[in-house]
Amino acid sequence: MPGARRQIHVHRQYSAAEYDHLAKGHVPTDQDDRWFIWVGDDHIVHLHRSSTGYEIYRVRLVRAPNSYQIAEAWVNDDPDQYQGDPEMDDALLGPMLDEAAGRPTGGLTV
């Protein structure tokens, strides 16, 4: 992720089973599959656009007694890499993480 980034506010909590599902990541399988997602050993979730490879979102999770919670989330703010809408970033990231964690999202496609 470039130095040009801004913090966004997403509040989510995941069970250990949901975190395990999220930690498996997501590898795109076709052109309509827009995101490549992977999780590092440090519980940081990296979300890259599959078409460009640019990291668009980065989320740091922390372990709580019975769950994992979002400690902080960032969005790429480099206009050469991403021209997102700040209101949409807040609204999009939470459901995208939920789907990657195996929660039903009502048709959102990671």
Side-chain angles (χ1 to χ4, degrees), residues 3-30:
R5 65 180 94 170
R6 75 181 157 74
Q7 192 165 15
I8 58 177
H9 303 284
V10 178
H11 304 284
R12 289 289 196 279
Q13 183 172 313
Y14 297 102
S15 68
E18 289 172 327
Y19 176 80
D20 289 344
H21 195 275
L22 178 63
K24 291 177 185 175
H26 177 79
V27 177
T29 57
D30 61 44

Side-chain angles (χ1 to χ4, degrees), residues 13 30 32 46 53 59 70 80 98 104 108:
Q13 183 172 313
D30 61 44
D32 294 329
H46 304 267
V59 178
I70 294 177
D80 292 330
D98 290 349
L108 176 72

